[in-house]
Amino acid sequence: MTAPLTTARPLAALTFSNAFATLPPAFYTHLQPTPLPAPYLVAVSAPAAALIGLDSNDSSAALVDILSGNSIAAGSRPLAAVYSGHQFGVWAGQLGDGRAILLGDLPARDGGRMELQLKGAGQTPYSRMGDGRAVLRSSIREFLCSEAMAALGIPTTRALGLTGSDKLVMRETPESTAVVTRMAPSFIRFGSFEHWYYNQRHDELKLLADNVLANFYPQLLSTDNPYQALLTEVTRRTARLVAQWQAVGFMHGVLNTDNMSILGLTLDYGPFGFMEAFDAKHICNHTDQQGRYSYQMQPRIGQWNCFALGQAMLPLIGSVEATEAALAGYDAEYTLAYERLLHAKLGLQQTLPGDEALIDGLFAIMQSSHVDFTLLFRSLGNLQLAAPEHDAPVRDLFIERPAFDAWAVQYRARLQQENSVDATRKLAMDKVNPKYVLRNYLAQTAIEKAQNKDFSEIARLLQVLQRPFDEQPEHAHYAALPPDWASHLEVSCSS
Ligand code: AMP
Ligand code: MG
């Protein structure tokens, strides 16, 4: 048991351990980060810092050097891990940490451990054709979204800090570079398991599963078949995670198996997006022309990815039947989680026959009117049961207002069935329907300012997104519909 972390300390004062490196050398390559030329501090997340008892007011050169990989903290033995994966449904073979370097792990406030990883810290043996760097643009997006998702209550890797450099790398145009210091109990992926399965190295596959079980799922070790129990639990976590994404309109954008966390965390933020004008077929990743990772596909893709993990774990679990039994939980877990979340979003306390049709009906009119996802659910909480004449703020979000009126009649009737009270319902709905999400245009504004060395907008957004369910009237403009220029924003895999 780790001693409680009572006082906040600077990062340079902390001593790392290297739990992942207790796996055999075939799992990783020890190497040093490539120094980032003249790094500067862009942002630190105070809530993330608090998780490891770190002083978030520290902006010393020593901190910047550790966050950017320019100096190595005590105890750290940096490494890049190997993994493989299915990309866009196709077996892609070996991938691995091509630009991420694991520093090691630190004790966390909750009694567990947190790994720190530098994303964009230079080439590794797994970089393939890549330069090992990450651009400031996508790093700001990852930094802000990691912390915003955590504040929304959605499992995710965290972002401790962001450092930048004037060093340029080539993408579509030359762009400045950055390092995101990510934090999670583990960065092990579905693709980490697939790697050993497809290389027919079942000894390593077992070592990996045993490591994950011992460190992150010790309660499963005493079950009859811990590997089956592990797959069952990861499948459930994944189903619940995707349900949470659907309920806030989050689209990951690149749900390849190498971006799926064995802990059920949202992992590897790239061309993600939050749904604005609702379209179930919306594709947030410009590179994904087929729409494999569109909003409506995410639940099925989450399941597909669990099947890929199940295939890889088959030699450990021992039979197809037992593997299928573990995977079979996905549908029920997803449906249960999604229905619960949607009931809460609509302020419904009970589950009654006809609720599914009511929810489907809402999504159908959202689709035909392309209503803003976040604004709609947030405004729905203001609906007054006995006063349809006051519906304008929500009704006016629809192009097809008669369609809303017809749905609202059913919704009111349903609320009557459980004697719903306006004020109580609004309070409950405001706790689950965020007012603030990281809209693309908000991130873009912060990015453009940061490219001119003004990091104030990143700090402000971080603050606003830390309290997504609070009204924050002074920040109301951050909840506004995207401006016209934002309709031209495109995000792709290029990062
Ligand atoms: P992603 O699409 O970001 O999940 O990355 C897929 C794979 O490409 C991973 O193995 C990454 O490490 C690798 N990768 C992406 N960008 C780069 C880069 N600039 N340099 C090296 N490897 C990269
Ligand atoms: Mg990735």
Side-chain angles (χ1 to χ4, degrees), residues 256-272:
N256 295 334
T257 57
D258 53 298
N259 291 338
M260 297 296 292
S261 153
I262 203 69
L263 301 184
L265 309 173
T266 312
L267 170 65
D268 276 8
Y269 291 87
F272 66 83

Side-chain angles (χ1 to χ4, degrees), residues 215-431:
N215 290 323
F216 309 109
Y217 296 91
Q219 72 282 11
L220 304 181
L221 283 168
S222 55
T223 57
D224 287 348
N225 185 337
Y227 305 117
Q228 184 196 27
L230 177 60
L231 180 60
T232 303
E233 180 58 20
V234 176
T235 297
R236 285 199 194 124
R237 285 195 193 188
T238 304
R240 287 198 294 266
L241 177 68
V242 178
Q244 285 189 280
W245 290 348
Q246 299 304 101
V248 293
F250 174 81
M251 294 159 284
H252 181 286
V254 200
L255 284 178
N256 295 334
T257 57
D258 53 298
N259 291 338
M260 297 296 292
S261 153
I262 203 69
L263 301 184
L265 309 173
T266 312
L267 170 65
D268 276 8
Y269 291 87
F272 66 83
F274 281 87
M275 183 72 80
E276 296 187 311
F278 186 76
D279 176 10
K281 293 190 168 66
H282 186 72
I283 306 165
C284 63
N285 176 1
H286 183 58
T287 318
D288 178 15
Q289 282 159 1
Q290 307 291 317
R292 179 178 170 87
Y293 301 140
S294 68
Y295 176 79
Q296 67 177 8
M297 287 292 285
Q298 290 191 129
R300 267 179 282 168
I301 291 295
Q303 186 175 36
W304 193 97
N305 289 339
C306 289
F307 273 76
L309 176 64
Q311 179 71 51
M313 291 182 70
L314 184 56
L316 302 176
I317 296 173
S319 78
V320 172
E321 292 71 29
T323 305
E324 284 177 349
L327 294 165
Y330 186 95
D331 273 334
E333 193 74 22
Y334 174 80
T335 306
L336 183 69
Y338 182 75
E339 280 179 2
R340 277 201 186 131
L341 290 164
L342 263 292
H343 272 77
K345 287 178 83 67
L346 291 181
L348 300 174
Q349 291 182 299
Q350 302 167 5
T351 301
L352 296 177
D355 286 354
E356 205 182 319
L358 183 76
I359 293 166
D360 290 350
L362 177 60
F363 279 94
I365 60 170
M366 285 164 68
Q367 176 79 36
S368 54
S369 278
H370 295 303
V371 182
D372 185 85
F373 190 98
T374 305
L375 264 179
L376 171 67
F377 281 105
R378 185 72 180 189
S379 354
L380 213 48
N382 295 326
L383 194 110
Q384 296 170 41
L385 207 41
E389 66 275 18
H390 293 145
D391 279 359
V394 49
R395 183 177 189 262
D396 291 353
L397 296 171
F398 291 80
I399 307 166
E400 294 175 14
R401 290 178 189 157
F404 171 76
D405 293 337
W407 181 82
V409 169
Q410 295 169 33
Y411 181 44
R412 283 197 161 85
R414 174 62 185 80
L415 291 172
Q416 304 275 14
Q417 275 183 292
E418 59 177 56
N419 300 316
S420 188
V421 177
D422 286 345
T424 319
R425 187 177 67 252
K426 177 179 162 54
L427 270 180
M429 287 173 77
D430 281 358
K431 286 188 185 136

